[in-house]
Structure formats: C-alpha cells, structure tokens
Amino acid sequence: MSAIWKCIGMVVISSLLLMSCERVIQVNIKDEPLRFVVEGVLTDDSTCRVRLSQTSNFYDTINLRGVSGARVTITEDGKPPVVLSASSNRGEYTAPFTGQSGKTYHLRVEYRDSVSNHVFTATSTMPQKVALDSLYVSERIFLGKMRMIAAIRYKDPPAPGNAYRYVQRVDGELETTVFVTKDDLINGRTVVDELLIFNDEYTLKKCDQLNVELQSIDQPVYLFWYSLNQGSLGSSQSASPGNPASNIKGGALGYFSAHAVSSLHIAVFPDSTCSYSDENSRR
C-alpha cells in the first residue's frame, strides 16, 4: 500500500473514532428567583411612562412578563402625587404629565401578589436641557468597510456634571446600542459625536429616515446605562457581568429617569428616487 493511501486510511479511522466519542451532555440550569423590573421615564416633552415586569427563567420563551394591577405614582417635590393608569399594553402605566428641568421627581410602585406586598421607589432630578445643534450623516471607514453613520453636534454647558444618552431610530425602528457619555473631558465645549455601531453589516442607507434624540440625564441614570453598556461589551473584570447599577430601591432591577430631550430628524441623502409613507413623513 502506498504512503498516500496509508495517510487516507489513518484520517478515516481517526474521524470514525472522533464520531464515536460524541455524546449529548445535559446541562442542569437551575431556575433563579424571579425579579421585578421597573423602567420609568418622565420627560419635558409629555412622556410619562412606567413599565413593571418580571424576569423569566432560562427556558422560558418570554423575556419579560408585564405585571398588571400595580399602583404607580410620580410626585414632584412639594406637589401631590400623579397617579399613572394602566395602558392597553400589559405592565405599562402612563399619565398626561410633563416634567421640568431642575425639578426632582419621586417614583413609587406598589404591587401585591400572593406572597407579599412589593414596594419599589426611585428619585430622579431632571437636568438642564441641552439642545442638539445639528444632525448629519458621516461617511467613514469603520471595521474595515466604508459606512454611513449618524453624527451629532451640541454645546455642553459651562457648569460641570452633565451627562447624556443618545437614542437613534431608523425608519422608526429603535437602535438598541447604548450611547452614553458625560462631560468630564468635554465640559463647556462644542461636542461632535459619531454614533458608532459595532456590527459588521451596519450602515445607513440612502433614503433612510434618521432620528436622533439627545437625553440630558442625571448621574444615577448615567451610571445605570454606563454599567449596562460595560456588561454588554464584556468590559467588566469579573467572570460574568452583574446587574447594572440601579436607582430603584426595594429589590427591583431597572431605572427611573427624569430627563430633558432634544431631537432632530433628517432623511439620508434624499432625492426623487426616495418614497416615503405618510407615517414615515410624520416621524
């Protein structure tokens, strides 16, 4: 038998041995106690919304379960509480209430289940509003490819301690990347920031409807988004990321953010070939 056939024979035998060693390993993943999640938002543009939900177990097909039947209030210092009503979305509570910069707001969520009465509280102060100066599209090489990405410009106030979150939507769809920064290195300066998205295929496309919202957030809310971003990027030194820092008291996950917003909307390099529905034109 020639040497080449001997080599082929050895490869076949080795493959068969490897195949015979395969077996199914059952991993016993224990269910953790379910946790409540509170997501509260109050803005200066008439958004007042709180979502109450519960975490799910590993094998559940639903990530978060909305919780109905809670009593939810938001109180501005020195004023009576505003009661939020349940919306058509299970676990969501809303009210026709608008916040103001410089005011402090207190969230209280009460829910009684078959085991006990749960009370979750949080406090957030709405910072000074910072307005977006401009929104445009930047073309640059990123992750080895030429891409079109959103870029924004705004002026940070002279007083230190400002923090920001950017929220991007394309054709009405929310981009889930966490964009968050504070003014430690940009205090009092004109800021130009690109919304870089670490996805090998991502780029804006001609005719896209682009909306970017600048949220002026307080320090506890900044810490929540920053720690959430660090965990998602694997930047923590721990073996596994922990829960993000939360300003919710009472044992729930999540956050309560009273923030001022400024948003701009553009179409990406529009011309006569672009076609938009009435719904898109209103965004």
PDB file of all heavy atoms in Angstrom, residues 162-194:
ATOM      1  N   ASN A 162     -22.606  67.344  33.636  1.00  0.00           N
ATOM      2  CA  ASN A 162     -23.655  66.962  32.699  1.00  0.00           C
ATOM      3  C   ASN A 162     -23.402  65.567  32.131  1.00  0.00           C
ATOM      4  O   ASN A 162     -22.254  65.165  31.916  1.00  0.00           O
ATOM      5  CB  ASN A 162     -23.732  67.973  31.551  1.00  0.00           C
ATOM      6  CG  ASN A 162     -24.094  69.361  32.036  1.00  0.00           C
ATOM      7  OD1 ASN A 162     -25.224  69.617  32.412  1.00  0.00           O
ATOM      8  ND2 ASN A 162     -23.109  70.256  32.057  1.00  0.00           N
ATOM      9  N   ALA A 163     -24.494  64.848  31.884  1.00  0.00           N
ATOM     10  CA  ALA A 163     -24.404  63.503  31.314  1.00  0.00           C
ATOM     11  C   ALA A 163     -25.479  63.349  30.244  1.00  0.00           C
ATOM     12  O   ALA A 163     -26.543  63.981  30.325  1.00  0.00           O
ATOM     13  CB  ALA A 163     -24.571  62.435  32.397  1.00  0.00           C
ATOM     14  N   TYR A 164     -25.202  62.497  29.257  1.00  0.00           N
ATOM     15  CA  TYR A 164     -26.084  62.399  28.100  1.00  0.00           C
ATOM     16  C   TYR A 164     -26.242  60.946  27.645  1.00  0.00           C
ATOM     17  O   TYR A 164     -25.331  60.126  27.781  1.00  0.00           O
ATOM     18  CB  TYR A 164     -25.511  63.197  26.916  1.00  0.00           C
ATOM     19  CG  TYR A 164     -25.173  64.620  27.244  1.00  0.00           C
ATOM     20  CD1 TYR A 164     -23.855  64.998  27.537  1.00  0.00           C
ATOM     21  CD2 TYR A 164     -26.156  65.603  27.269  1.00  0.00           C
ATOM     22  CE1 TYR A 164     -23.531  66.303  27.845  1.00  0.00           C
ATOM     23  CE2 TYR A 164     -25.843  66.922  27.575  1.00  0.00           C
ATOM     24  CZ  TYR A 164     -24.529  67.267  27.866  1.00  0.00           C
ATOM     25  OH  TYR A 164     -24.211  68.568  28.177  1.00  0.00           O
ATOM     26  N   ARG A 165     -27.406  60.703  27.085  1.00  0.00           N
ATOM     27  CA  ARG A 165     -27.662  59.457  26.372  1.00  0.00           C
ATOM     28  C   ARG A 165     -28.200  59.815  24.991  1.00  0.00           C
ATOM     29  O   ARG A 165     -29.032  60.718  24.860  1.00  0.00           O
ATOM     30  CB  ARG A 165     -28.683  58.591  27.119  1.00  0.00           C
ATOM     31  CG  ARG A 165     -29.000  57.274  26.409  1.00  0.00           C
ATOM     32  CD  ARG A 165     -30.125  56.518  27.105  1.00  0.00           C
ATOM     33  NE  ARG A 165     -30.496  55.323  26.346  1.00  0.00           N
ATOM     34  CZ  ARG A 165     -31.722  54.850  26.243  1.00  0.00           C
ATOM     35  NH1 ARG A 165     -32.718  55.469  26.862  1.00  0.00           N
ATOM     36  NH2 ARG A 165     -31.974  53.783  25.531  1.00  0.00           N
ATOM     37  N   TYR A 166     -27.701  59.120  23.938  1.00  0.00           N
ATOM     38  CA  TYR A 166     -28.201  59.318  22.583  1.00  0.00           C
ATOM     39  C   TYR A 166     -29.084  58.120  22.218  1.00  0.00           C
ATOM     40  O   TYR A 166     -28.724  56.972  22.481  1.00  0.00           O
ATOM     41  CB  TYR A 166     -27.068  59.394  21.562  1.00  0.00           C
ATOM     42  CG  TYR A 166     -25.890  60.263  21.939  1.00  0.00           C
ATOM     43  CD1 TYR A 166     -24.597  59.901  21.565  1.00  0.00           C
ATOM     44  CD2 TYR A 166     -26.053  61.446  22.656  1.00  0.00           C
ATOM     45  CE1 TYR A 166     -23.502  60.685  21.880  1.00  0.00           C
ATOM     46  CE2 TYR A 166     -24.963  62.234  22.992  1.00  0.00           C
ATOM     47  CZ  TYR A 166     -23.684  61.847  22.596  1.00  0.00           C
ATOM     48  OH  TYR A 166     -22.603  62.628  22.932  1.00  0.00           O
ATOM     49  N   VAL A 167     -30.216  58.405  21.592  1.00  0.00           N
ATOM     50  CA  VAL A 167     -31.129  57.351  21.143  1.00  0.00           C
ATOM     51  C   VAL A 167     -31.352  57.530  19.644  1.00  0.00           C
ATOM     52  O   VAL A 167     -31.775  58.603  19.198  1.00  0.00           O
ATOM     53  CB  VAL A 167     -32.472  57.405  21.894  1.00  0.00           C
ATOM     54  CG1 VAL A 167     -33.425  56.339  21.353  1.00  0.00           C
ATOM     55  CG2 VAL A 167     -32.252  57.199  23.388  1.00  0.00           C
ATOM     56  N   GLN A 168     -31.070  56.482  18.877  1.00  0.00           N
ATOM     57  CA  GLN A 168     -31.190  56.558  17.417  1.00  0.00           C
ATOM     58  C   GLN A 168     -32.318  55.659  16.914  1.00  0.00           C
ATOM     59  O   GLN A 168     -32.478  54.522  17.378  1.00  0.00           O
ATOM     60  CB  GLN A 168     -29.874  56.118  16.757  1.00  0.00           C
ATOM     61  CG  GLN A 168     -29.949  56.020  15.236  1.00  0.00           C
ATOM     62  CD  GLN A 168     -28.645  55.583  14.615  1.00  0.00           C
ATOM     63  OE1 GLN A 168     -27.618  56.228  14.794  1.00  0.00           O
ATOM     64  NE2 GLN A 168     -28.673  54.484  13.884  1.00  0.00           N
ATOM     65  N   ARG A 169     -33.083  56.180  15.967  1.00  0.00           N
ATOM     66  CA  ARG A 169     -34.115  55.392  15.270  1.00  0.00           C
ATOM     67  C   ARG A 169     -33.932  55.561  13.771  1.00  0.00           C
ATOM     68  O   ARG A 169     -33.666  56.673  13.297  1.00  0.00           O
ATOM     69  CB  ARG A 169     -35.514  55.833  15.686  1.00  0.00           C
ATOM     70  CG  ARG A 169     -35.900  55.445  17.109  1.00  0.00           C
ATOM     71  CD  ARG A 169     -37.287  55.931  17.482  1.00  0.00           C
ATOM     72  NE  ARG A 169     -37.705  55.439  18.799  1.00  0.00           N
ATOM     73  CZ  ARG A 169     -37.389  56.022  19.943  1.00  0.00           C
ATOM     74  NH1 ARG A 169     -36.643  57.123  19.930  1.00  0.00           N
ATOM     75  NH2 ARG A 169     -37.795  55.525  21.095  1.00  0.00           N
ATOM     76  N   VAL A 170     -34.093  54.463  13.046  1.00  0.00           N
ATOM     77  CA  VAL A 170     -34.033  54.491  11.586  1.00  0.00           C
ATOM     78  C   VAL A 170     -35.350  53.945  11.063  1.00  0.00           C
ATOM     79  O   VAL A 170     -35.723  52.814  11.392  1.00  0.00           O
ATOM     80  CB  VAL A 170     -32.846  53.663  11.051  1.00  0.00           C
ATOM     81  CG1 VAL A 170     -32.842  53.667   9.523  1.00  0.00           C
ATOM     82  CG2 VAL A 170     -31.528  54.210  11.586  1.00  0.00           C
ATOM     83  N   ASP A 171     -36.056  54.756  10.283  1.00  0.00           N
ATOM     84  CA  ASP A 171     -37.392  54.393   9.793  1.00  0.00           C
ATOM     85  C   ASP A 171     -38.302  53.971  10.950  1.00  0.00           C
ATOM     86  O   ASP A 171     -39.093  53.026  10.839  1.00  0.00           O
ATOM     87  CB  ASP A 171     -37.304  53.282   8.746  1.00  0.00           C
ATOM     88  CG  ASP A 171     -36.608  53.746   7.474  1.00  0.00           C
ATOM     89  OD1 ASP A 171     -36.654  54.952   7.180  1.00  0.00           O
ATOM     90  OD2 ASP A 171     -36.015  52.909   6.770  1.00  0.00           O
ATOM     91  N   GLY A 172     -38.146  54.644  12.076  1.00  0.00           N
ATOM     92  CA  GLY A 172     -38.991  54.376  13.241  1.00  0.00           C
ATOM     93  C   GLY A 172     -38.532  53.234  14.115  1.00  0.00           C
ATOM     94  O   GLY A 172     -39.084  53.029  15.203  1.00  0.00           O
ATOM     95  N   GLU A 173     -37.508  52.485  13.683  1.00  0.00           N
ATOM     96  CA  GLU A 173     -37.028  51.333  14.458  1.00  0.00           C
ATOM     97  C   GLU A 173     -35.901  51.763  15.395  1.00  0.00           C
ATOM     98  O   GLU A 173     -34.919  52.390  14.976  1.00  0.00           O
ATOM     99  CB  GLU A 173     -36.528  50.228  13.524  1.00  0.00           C
ATOM    100  CG  GLU A 173     -37.614  49.615  12.656  1.00  0.00           C
ATOM    101  CD  GLU A 173     -38.665  48.898  13.485  1.00  0.00           C
ATOM    102  OE1 GLU A 173     -38.279  48.267  14.498  1.00  0.00           O
ATOM    103  OE2 GLU A 173     -39.849  48.973  13.129  1.00  0.00           O
ATOM    104  N   LEU A 174     -36.033  51.383  16.673  1.00  0.00           N
ATOM    105  CA  LEU A 174     -35.049  51.754  17.684  1.00  0.00           C
ATOM    106  C   LEU A 174     -33.756  50.973  17.506  1.00  0.00           C
ATOM    107  O   LEU A 174     -33.765  49.745  17.373  1.00  0.00           O
ATOM    108  CB  LEU A 174     -35.615  51.498  19.079  1.00  0.00           C
ATOM    109  CG  LEU A 174     -34.678  51.749  20.263  1.00  0.00           C
ATOM    110  CD1 LEU A 174     -34.356  53.227  20.384  1.00  0.00           C
ATOM    111  CD2 LEU A 174     -35.299  51.223  21.556  1.00  0.00           C
ATOM    112  N   GLU A 175     -32.618  51.674  17.519  1.00  0.00           N
ATOM    113  CA  GLU A 175     -31.307  51.033  17.550  1.00  0.00           C
ATOM    114  C   GLU A 175     -30.955  50.749  19.009  1.00  0.00           C
ATOM    115  O   GLU A 175     -30.965  51.651  19.849  1.00  0.00           O
ATOM    116  CB  GLU A 175     -30.256  51.955  16.915  1.00  0.00           C
ATOM    117  CG  GLU A 175     -28.820  51.558  17.161  1.00  0.00           C
ATOM    118  CD  GLU A 175     -28.514  50.138  16.707  1.00  0.00           C
ATOM    119  OE1 GLU A 175     -28.902  49.779  15.580  1.00  0.00           O
ATOM    120  OE2 GLU A 175     -27.891  49.399  17.494  1.00  0.00           O
ATOM    121  N   THR A 176     -30.668  49.483  19.326  1.00  0.00           N
ATOM    122  CA  THR A 176     -30.513  49.070  20.723  1.00  0.00           C
ATOM    123  C   THR A 176     -29.132  49.353  21.308  1.00  0.00           C
ATOM    124  O   THR A 176     -28.926  49.155  22.508  1.00  0.00           O
ATOM    125  CB  THR A 176     -30.814  47.561  20.864  1.00  0.00           C
ATOM    126  OG1 THR A 176     -29.929  46.822  20.002  1.00  0.00           O
ATOM    127  CG2 THR A 176     -32.261  47.270  20.477  1.00  0.00           C
ATOM    128  N   THR A 177     -28.184  49.800  20.493  1.00  0.00           N
ATOM    129  CA  THR A 177     -26.868  50.144  21.021  1.00  0.00           C
ATOM    130  C   THR A 177     -26.992  51.234  22.088  1.00  0.00           C
ATOM    131  O   THR A 177     -27.752  52.190  21.920  1.00  0.00           O
ATOM    132  CB  THR A 177     -25.944  50.630  19.897  1.00  0.00           C
ATOM    133  OG1 THR A 177     -25.798  49.590  18.926  1.00  0.00           O
ATOM    134  CG2 THR A 177     -24.567  50.996  20.430  1.00  0.00           C
ATOM    135  N   VAL A 178     -26.246  51.097  23.178  1.00  0.00           N
ATOM    136  CA  VAL A 178     -26.267  52.095  24.248  1.00  0.00           C
ATOM    137  C   VAL A 178     -25.210  53.156  23.955  1.00  0.00           C
ATOM    138  O   VAL A 178     -24.019  52.862  23.894  1.00  0.00           O
ATOM    139  CB  VAL A 178     -25.995  51.446  25.619  1.00  0.00           C
ATOM    140  CG1 VAL A 178     -25.906  52.512  26.710  1.00  0.00           C
ATOM    141  CG2 VAL A 178     -27.081  50.433  25.953  1.00  0.00           C
ATOM    142  N   PHE A 179     -25.660  54.393  23.735  1.00  0.00           N
ATOM    143  CA  PHE A 179     -24.759  55.527  23.547  1.00  0.00           C
ATOM    144  C   PHE A 179     -24.880  56.425  24.773  1.00  0.00           C
ATOM    145  O   PHE A 179     -25.935  57.018  25.011  1.00  0.00           O
ATOM    146  CB  PHE A 179     -25.145  56.338  22.302  1.00  0.00           C
ATOM    147  CG  PHE A 179     -25.209  55.549  21.023  1.00  0.00           C
ATOM    148  CD1 PHE A 179     -26.430  55.219  20.469  1.00  0.00           C
ATOM    149  CD2 PHE A 179     -24.056  55.142  20.375  1.00  0.00           C
ATOM    150  CE1 PHE A 179     -26.509  54.509  19.288  1.00  0.00           C
ATOM    151  CE2 PHE A 179     -24.117  54.427  19.194  1.00  0.00           C
ATOM    152  CZ  PHE A 179     -25.342  54.105  18.646  1.00  0.00           C
ATOM    153  N   VAL A 180     -23.824  56.541  25.556  1.00  0.00           N
ATOM    154  CA  VAL A 180     -23.883  57.319  26.790  1.00  0.00           C
ATOM    155  C   VAL A 180     -22.531  57.982  27.029  1.00  0.00           C
ATOM    156  O   VAL A 180     -21.477  57.412  26.727  1.00  0.00           O
ATOM    157  CB  VAL A 180     -24.288  56.414  27.985  1.00  0.00           C
ATOM    158  CG1 VAL A 180     -23.239  55.359  28.264  1.00  0.00           C
ATOM    159  CG2 VAL A 180     -24.599  57.233  29.219  1.00  0.00           C
ATOM    160  N   THR A 181     -22.558  59.211  27.531  1.00  0.00           N
ATOM    161  CA  THR A 181     -21.313  59.934  27.804  1.00  0.00           C
ATOM    162  C   THR A 181     -21.570  60.985  28.877  1.00  0.00           C
ATOM    163  O   THR A 181     -22.726  61.294  29.196  1.00  0.00           O
ATOM    164  CB  THR A 181     -20.782  60.611  26.521  1.00  0.00           C
ATOM    165  OG1 THR A 181     -19.476  61.141  26.762  1.00  0.00           O
ATOM    166  CG2 THR A 181     -21.700  61.749  26.072  1.00  0.00           C
ATOM    167  N   LYS A 182     -20.504  61.524  29.453  1.00  0.00           N
ATOM    168  CA  LYS A 182     -20.618  62.648  30.384  1.00  0.00           C
ATOM    169  C   LYS A 182     -19.497  63.631  30.109  1.00  0.00           C
ATOM    170  O   LYS A 182     -18.578  63.354  29.324  1.00  0.00           O
ATOM    171  CB  LYS A 182     -20.610  62.175  31.840  1.00  0.00           C
ATOM    172  CG  LYS A 182     -19.385  61.406  32.286  1.00  0.00           C
ATOM    173  CD  LYS A 182     -19.535  61.033  33.760  1.00  0.00           C
ATOM    174  CE  LYS A 182     -18.323  60.250  34.250  1.00  0.00           C
ATOM    175  NZ  LYS A 182     -18.430  59.960  35.707  1.00  0.00           N
ATOM    176  N   ASP A 183     -19.551  64.805  30.754  1.00  0.00           N
ATOM    177  CA  ASP A 183     -18.705  65.916  30.317  1.00  0.00           C
ATOM    178  C   ASP A 183     -17.377  66.034  31.056  1.00  0.00           C
ATOM    179  O   ASP A 183     -16.813  67.133  31.129  1.00  0.00           O
ATOM    180  CB  ASP A 183     -19.483  67.232  30.402  1.00  0.00           C
ATOM    181  CG  ASP A 183     -19.785  67.646  31.841  1.00  0.00           C
ATOM    182  OD1 ASP A 183     -19.503  66.852  32.764  1.00  0.00           O
ATOM    183  OD2 ASP A 183     -20.311  68.755  32.034  1.00  0.00           O
ATOM    184  N   ASP A 184     -16.842  64.941  31.566  1.00  0.00           N
ATOM    185  CA  ASP A 184     -15.551  65.003  32.262  1.00  0.00           C
ATOM    186  C   ASP A 184     -14.459  65.604  31.370  1.00  0.00           C
ATOM    187  O   ASP A 184     -13.615  66.364  31.837  1.00  0.00           O
ATOM    188  CB  ASP A 184     -15.116  63.598  32.706  1.00  0.00           C
ATOM    189  CG  ASP A 184     -15.953  63.080  33.865  1.00  0.00           C
ATOM    190  OD1 ASP A 184     -16.790  63.853  34.367  1.00  0.00           O
ATOM    191  OD2 ASP A 184     -15.792  61.912  34.250  1.00  0.00           O
ATOM    192  N   LEU A 185     -14.474  65.244  30.082  1.00  0.00           N
ATOM    193  CA  LEU A 185     -13.433  65.704  29.155  1.00  0.00           C
ATOM    194  C   LEU A 185     -13.947  66.726  28.146  1.00  0.00           C
ATOM    195  O   LEU A 185     -13.156  67.213  27.325  1.00  0.00           O
ATOM    196  CB  LEU A 185     -12.839  64.504  28.406  1.00  0.00           C
ATOM    197  CG  LEU A 185     -12.206  63.414  29.271  1.00  0.00           C
ATOM    198  CD1 LEU A 185     -11.718  62.262  28.400  1.00  0.00           C
ATOM    199  CD2 LEU A 185     -11.051  63.979  30.092  1.00  0.00           C
ATOM    200  N   ILE A 186     -15.214  67.046  28.181  1.00  0.00           N
ATOM    201  CA  ILE A 186     -15.800  67.942  27.171  1.00  0.00           C
ATOM    202  C   ILE A 186     -16.497  69.128  27.813  1.00  0.00           C
ATOM    203  O   ILE A 186     -17.246  69.837  27.146  1.00  0.00           O
ATOM    204  CB  ILE A 186     -16.797  67.184  26.272  1.00  0.00           C
ATOM    205  CG1 ILE A 186     -17.940  66.583  27.133  1.00  0.00           C
ATOM    206  CG2 ILE A 186     -16.116  66.098  25.472  1.00  0.00           C
ATOM    207  CD1 ILE A 186     -19.078  65.978  26.333  1.00  0.00           C
ATOM    208  N   ASN A 187     -16.261  69.376  29.085  1.00  0.00           N
ATOM    209  CA  ASN A 187     -17.033  70.397  29.803  1.00  0.00           C
ATOM    210  C   ASN A 187     -16.922  71.757  29.120  1.00  0.00           C
ATOM    211  O   ASN A 187     -15.837  72.275  28.882  1.00  0.00           O
ATOM    212  CB  ASN A 187     -16.548  70.508  31.241  1.00  0.00           C
ATOM    213  CG  ASN A 187     -17.369  71.491  32.043  1.00  0.00           C
ATOM    214  OD1 ASN A 187     -18.587  71.404  32.062  1.00  0.00           O
ATOM    215  ND2 ASN A 187     -16.702  72.442  32.683  1.00  0.00           N
ATOM    216  N   GLY A 188     -18.093  72.340  28.797  1.00  0.00           N
ATOM    217  CA  GLY A 188     -18.139  73.670  28.205  1.00  0.00           C
ATOM    218  C   GLY A 188     -17.755  73.736  26.741  1.00  0.00           C
ATOM    219  O   GLY A 188     -17.697  74.825  26.171  1.00  0.00           O
ATOM    220  N   ARG A 189     -17.526  72.604  26.116  1.00  0.00           N
ATOM    221  CA  ARG A 189     -17.062  72.591  24.725  1.00  0.00           C
ATOM    222  C   ARG A 189     -18.203  72.268  23.759  1.00  0.00           C
ATOM    223  O   ARG A 189     -19.253  71.758  24.147  1.00  0.00           O
ATOM    224  CB  ARG A 189     -15.953  71.554  24.540  1.00  0.00           C
ATOM    225  CG  ARG A 189     -14.723  71.790  25.390  1.00  0.00           C
ATOM    226  CD  ARG A 189     -13.682  70.733  25.119  1.00  0.00           C
ATOM    227  NE  ARG A 189     -12.494  70.905  25.946  1.00  0.00           N
ATOM    228  CZ  ARG A 189     -11.429  70.109  25.897  1.00  0.00           C
ATOM    229  NH1 ARG A 189     -11.411  69.081  25.057  1.00  0.00           N
ATOM    230  NH2 ARG A 189     -10.395  70.339  26.685  1.00  0.00           N
ATOM    231  N   THR A 190     -17.938  72.550  22.480  1.00  0.00           N
ATOM    232  CA  THR A 190     -18.821  72.075  21.426  1.00  0.00           C
ATOM    233  C   THR A 190     -18.466  70.621  21.132  1.00  0.00           C
ATOM    234  O   THR A 190     -17.298  70.296  20.891  1.00  0.00           O
ATOM    235  CB  THR A 190     -18.673  72.916  20.151  1.00  0.00           C
ATOM    236  OG1 THR A 190     -19.107  74.253  20.436  1.00  0.00           O
ATOM    237  CG2 THR A 190     -19.515  72.347  19.023  1.00  0.00           C
ATOM    238  N   VAL A 191     -19.466  69.751  21.190  1.00  0.00           N
ATOM    239  CA  VAL A 191     -19.244  68.304  21.082  1.00  0.00           C
ATOM    240  C   VAL A 191     -19.699  67.832  19.700  1.00  0.00           C
ATOM    241  O   VAL A 191     -20.799  68.166  19.257  1.00  0.00           O
ATOM    242  CB  VAL A 191     -20.030  67.543  22.167  1.00  0.00           C
ATOM    243  CG1 VAL A 191     -19.793  66.040  22.049  1.00  0.00           C
ATOM    244  CG2 VAL A 191     -19.634  68.047  23.549  1.00  0.00           C
ATOM    245  N   VAL A 192     -18.843  67.081  19.029  1.00  0.00           N
ATOM    246  CA  VAL A 192     -19.204  66.389  17.788  1.00  0.00           C
ATOM    247  C   VAL A 192     -19.009  64.907  18.035  1.00  0.00           C
ATOM    248  O   VAL A 192     -17.903  64.468  18.360  1.00  0.00           O
ATOM    249  CB  VAL A 192     -18.348  66.851  16.591  1.00  0.00           C
ATOM    250  CG1 VAL A 192     -18.699  66.034  15.351  1.00  0.00           C
ATOM    251  CG2 VAL A 192     -18.566  68.337  16.328  1.00  0.00           C
ATOM    252  N   ASP A 193     -20.077  64.131  17.940  1.00  0.00           N
ATOM    253  CA  ASP A 193     -20.023  62.709  18.255  1.00  0.00           C
ATOM    254  C   ASP A 193     -20.618  61.896  17.117  1.00  0.00           C
ATOM    255  O   ASP A 193     -21.644  62.271  16.539  1.00  0.00           O
ATOM    256  CB  ASP A 193     -20.807  62.409  19.538  1.00  0.00           C
ATOM    257  CG  ASP A 193     -19.951  61.716  20.582  1.00  0.00           C
ATOM    258  OD1 ASP A 193     -18.890  61.176  20.208  1.00  0.00           O
ATOM    259  OD2 ASP A 193     -20.333  61.699  21.767  1.00  0.00           O
ATOM    260  N   GLU A 194     -19.973  60.775  16.805  1.00  0.00           N
ATOM    261  CA  GLU A 194     -20.498  59.834  15.826  1.00  0.00           C
ATOM    262  C   GLU A 194     -21.097  58.641  16.549  1.00  0.00           C
ATOM    263  O   GLU A 194     -20.527  58.151  17.524  1.00  0.00           O
ATOM    264  CB  GLU A 194     -19.382  59.356  14.883  1.00  0.00           C
ATOM    265  CG  GLU A 194     -18.824  60.450  13.997  1.00  0.00           C
ATOM    266  CD  GLU A 194     -17.718  59.956  13.090  1.00  0.00           C
ATOM    267  OE1 GLU A 194     -16.936  59.083  13.533  1.00  0.00           O
ATOM    268  OE2 GLU A 194     -17.623  60.433  11.951  1.00  0.00           O
TER     269      GLU A 194
END
